[in-house]
Amino acid sequence: MSLPSPPTAIEEVELNHLPAQLTPTQSIAQEKEADQPDEALPDPGGIDKRGLWSLGAQHLSSAWGERTAEFAFYLYLIELFQTTLLPASLFGFFTTGAGIIFSGLIGSLVDRVPRLSFVRWCILVQKLSATSAYTCFLLLFATRLKEQASKDLGAPALIWVLFALIVLAGCVLKLSTIGISVAIERDWATTIAEGNNDRLTTLNTILRRIDLLCKLLAPLFVSLLTTTASYSFSVAFFLAFGLVTMVFEFVWIQVVYRRLPSLATEEEQKRKERLVIRNSQVERPLPTDSRKRRLPTPSSVHKSIQTFLKNQATDWLEFVKHPIFGSSLSISCLYLTVLSFDGTMLSWLKTHNFSDPFIAGMRGICVVAGLLGTFVAPAMEKRLGLIRAGHWAIWSEVISLLPVLLSFYVGAPKDGIRSSGWNAALLFAGMALSRIGLWAFDLCQLKELQTALADHPRRNAITALQFAMQNIADLMKYVLTMILSRPSQFRWAALVSFISVCAGALSYLLFLKRMRGHVIHAEWIESLLGKGKVG
């Protein structure tokens, strides 16, 4: 039998208007209708070209600085502390912890602070924090402190002071990056799309491809500078480069806000709504003495903290009850992994005598595979529908990681020795293939989140909670590698990582069941049994 014609904009209907639980009595006709992919949607035109190019330029500059720091900071720490993974793990632990604690607050600020002002402040803080960290690294590399850092825990106190400043700058950099990501990739992109499903997909894909290109090219550029020049020169170059690009980013973001009027229009509408609510409230006149400006007292500070915690608890409770939570939980589980080219994997590869250019090259191949995933995701969405496309993507990642896990247990190299050719092929080929599913799933989940919260009054505060969940999983990874800090113990961290990815896939399976009412198309089963065929 053949399937009915697919309805239009079905994913938006599901995520915005579907109840928390599908009732068991849902009709077969409704299930068939819900399982259909989206029809071809209108051309995503209508976006001002200069505004779009400025948005791309600003995102390129911001992502380049972020990806450069992401690779360079860990590479510098590994070069300074060559016999242990502990400093790199501590850096990741504290920066991720900062993201967990303050992500909700940053999301709330995105909702309350004027859009342009917030992004400008985030750009300023991002560049200055990165500059501060590079300055500390320059002091370490340009002096004799580099040789003394090899003593690890027996290193002079000045080295650990500089390391603490690097960690602090890394925490601030992490928070400013989260702020830019929530504001630009979630809030601004949703508003610019103006409810056009195809336009939102296009914007998400453009921003994600820029991010992946930076993830591909930035490490290669870092490795080029460290190998052809020196570590000291690379630090000084990135320090100056960050200060210069800060000026351009201010100009580009101003052009975006001016050329895309929907950003200001929606913001003004929300401001008027808040003003109406505020004016409708009956305010009692304050006593004369209470109108005077007073310094905060311990009791007022305590009350402010209580209010903040109460608001956070309310947001978390609402987020957990929302149907999109299952999807957010699934992508968060993917962050508890060492099976990607992050700081912990880089540390392990360096202890097995892989060179910087080779590591950067392998990372580049994985990023190219990730770029392929950004082409696969839109095609899968049109063929299968948004939610089911994410299901296929995440399980393809699970399958691709099987040979990666196997490489740590079959023919695994000893500490200080490079892997054999076939063992390295299992490791790097499996990681590259897994990036296709990972980034395809990332795009699907991002659109699910944007669509589900498009009309939510505190969408950015709720969105930031997903960042908090991702950072919690990331933090658990660093705790794991601090406990298993010896390179020989890395295989156990790899096993835990694979289990976490499987848990994410199972969580998404439950989300799919909740949203669809079933996992497998009834028509597919009938087709396999020979009772019909899918039209």
Side-chain angles (χ1 to χ4, degrees), residues 57-134:
Q58 191 281 327
H59 189 65
L60 174 63
S61 176
S62 178
W64 181 270
E66 176 197 351
R67 293 301 184 181
T68 298
E70 179 185 66
F71 185 82
F73 283 11
Y74 283 104
L75 191 64
Y76 295 156
L77 289 173
I78 294 166
E79 181 66 19
L80 291 168
F81 304 93
Q82 299 182 0
T83 60
T84 178
L85 305 179
L86 186 60
S89 296
L90 285 173
F91 178 83
F93 176 85
F94 285 109
T95 55
T96 305
I100 294 172
I101 296 172
F102 297 107
S103 288
L105 175 61
I106 291 174
S108 299
L109 291 175
V110 176
D111 284 324
R112 297 199 307 266
V113 178
R115 278 177 167 150
L116 185 58
S117 299
F118 180 83
V119 175
R120 281 174 170 172
W121 275 106
C122 285
I123 292 172
L124 178 65
V125 173
Q126 184 188 52
K127 299 303 181 183
L128 293 182
S129 58
T131 299
S132 301
Y134 284 128

Side-chain angles (χ1 to χ4, degrees), residues 428-477:
F428 294 114
M431 288 180 62
L433 289 175
S434 70
R435 301 306 93 178
I436 299 176
L438 171 64
W439 287 100
F441 178 72
D442 178 82
L443 270 178
C444 292
Q445 199 280 329
L446 172 60
K447 189 174 179 181
E448 290 168 6
L449 183 71
Q450 290 171 321
T451 306
L453 301 176
D455 299 323
H456 198 286
R458 299 191 316 282
R459 70 184 182 197
N460 297 307
I462 302 298
T463 297
L465 296 183
Q466 178 173 302
F467 279 88
M469 289 175 58
Q470 293 169 180
N471 283 315
I472 289 172
D474 213 16
L475 183 70
M476 294 170 65
K477 173 189 68 178

Side-chain angles (χ1 to χ4, degrees), residues 347-355 407-408 411-421 423-424 427-428 487-488:
S347 301
W348 183 83
L349 292 174
K350 289 286 287 183
T351 60
H352 287 78
N353 295 328
F354 288 99
S355 65
S407 70
F408 288 98
K414 296 181 179 180
D415 292 352
I417 301 176
R418 287 191 65 167
S419 305
S420 60
N423 183 273
L427 174 64
F428 294 114
S488 60

Side-chain angles (χ1 to χ4, degrees), residues 240-271:
F241 185 80
L243 294 176
V244 172
T245 54
M246 178 175 64
V247 178
F248 287 97
E249 287 189 36
F250 275 122
V251 175
W252 286 324
I253 205 64
Q254 174 69 37
V255 173
V256 173
Y257 193 79
R258 188 178 71 250
R259 302 286 300 193
L260 302 176
S262 58
L263 294 169
T265 301
E266 186 188 74
E267 186 173 30
E268 180 63 20
Q269 181 181 355
K270 289 183 177 180
R271 188 190 68 81

